[in-house]
Amino acid sequence: MIISTLREKFPTHSFIGEESAAAGEKVELTDNPTWIIDPVDGTTNFVHGFPFVAVSIALSVNKEVVVGVVYNAILDQMFTGQLGKGAFMNGKPIHVSGQEDLSQSLLISEFGSSRDKEKMDLVFSNLGSFLNEKNSAHGCRLLGSAALDMCQIAIGGGDMYYQYGIHVWDIAAGALIIREAGGVVWDTTGRNGELCGTPQVGTSPNLQLFCTLLG
Ligand code: LIP
């Protein structure tokens, strides 16, 4: 429904969607205006009735996201961001917390969906580096929707978020919303959070995506 409605209005635009990728369509981000869509982010939550589920839609032009929308229909929370024009929840401006002290920070992360042993070891070791006797965040939450995790950072409900192994449709809208709310997003290469292209995945114990509030 989302793709056919948008295609009717913008017949020359391209699409990247979680369900189309699952159906075998090629995922390729080009300079053409491209809608990046996750119709249900937080699928496991949806199945269990855990109310942390969202539709995530981003529009990228020349490989840069210019519009991002994440909507939690259950809680009726609509997060929006437009490049250079700020970020909003239900129309009201939102901002990251500005917290820079790890011990005062609420960390958000995810287990991800695969249970591959090597990956899970990395997930637990990454969590351990933020939650130990010497160096600890104030708390940690794993809520099941990357898009909404990122929106929590954008409204200052959490202070930092990372996830090992993530897809473009999970983060495209959320990353713009965080940046427009004054936060930062980057990947393990140290680059500014590339949308497609995470060459270090699987080879580095670093965090693939880490959002914090230094900006
Ligand atoms: C899921 C997420 C979840 C993350 C998984 C997965 P889905 O998306 O947002 O938070 O841990 O890696 O990508 O499959 O529910 O759209």
Side-chain angles (χ1 to χ4, degrees):
M1 277 171 63
I2 296 169
I3 292 180
S4 59
T5 306
L6 288 170
R7 191 167 271 149
E8 218 168 89
K9 247 185 149 45
F10 308 106
T12 60
H13 289 190
S14 307
F15 293 86
I16 293 177
E18 178 170 20
E19 315 311 318
S20 347
E25 272 182 37
K26 196 171 167 201
V27 174
E28 192 182 21
L29 186 63
T30 66
D31 287 345
N32 198 41
T34 302
W35 296 89
I36 305 169
I37 300 164
D38 189 346
V40 185
D41 187 58
T43 315
T44 307
N45 287 346
F46 183 75
V47 169
H48 288 268
F50 187 83
F52 215 62
V53 177
V55 179
S56 173
I57 303 177
L59 173 64
S60 135
V61 178
N62 295 323
K63 300 195 185 79
E64 180 171 40
V65 175
V66 294
V67 171
V69 178
V70 174
Y71 181 49
N72 180 339
I74 299 165
L75 303 180
D76 193 22
Q77 293 181 334
M78 171 82 84
F79 300 91
T80 54
Q82 199 179 340
L83 189 62
K85 299 209 168 147
F88 304 85
M89 183 178 94
N90 293 345
K92 296 199 175 115
I94 54 176
H95 301 282
V96 294
S97 71
Q99 182 58 257
E100 293 181 21
D101 179 349
L102 179 66
S103 69
Q104 298 302 310
S105 297
L106 188 63
L107 165 68
I108 301 178
S109 188
E110 294 292 342
F111 291 122
S113 26
S114 105
R115 294 292 174 262
D116 170 80
K117 183 173 178 331
E118 198 184 339
K119 189 208 89 175
M120 289 311 288
D121 287 347
L122 188 51
V123 167
F124 291 128
S125 109
N126 279 339
L127 282 174
S129 59
F130 284 104
L131 300 165
N132 59 66
E133 282 174 4
K134 287 202 190 116
N135 202 23
S136 187
H138 192 203
C140 176
R141 303 289 178 265
L142 293 86
L143 299 166
S145 160
L148 287 173
D149 292 341
M150 296 179 90
C151 292
Q152 286 304 310
I153 303 300
I155 58 171
D159 304 298
M160 54 186 179
Y161 159 77
Y162 73 84
Q163 184 173 349
Y164 175 86
I166 196 79
H167 296 102
V168 62
W169 45 78
D170 296 317
I171 58 166
L176 175 68
I177 292 168
I178 285 183
R179 291 193 176 112
E180 288 298 321
V184 295
V185 181
W186 73 91
D187 62 28
T188 50
T189 64
R191 285 196 288 263
N192 201 15
E194 291 222 349
L195 279 180
C196 290
T198 47
Q200 307 246 341
V201 176
T203 59
S204 164
N206 294 329
L207 310 177
Q208 182 184 352
L209 177 71
F210 191 87
C211 310
T212 187
L213 316 162
L214 304 174

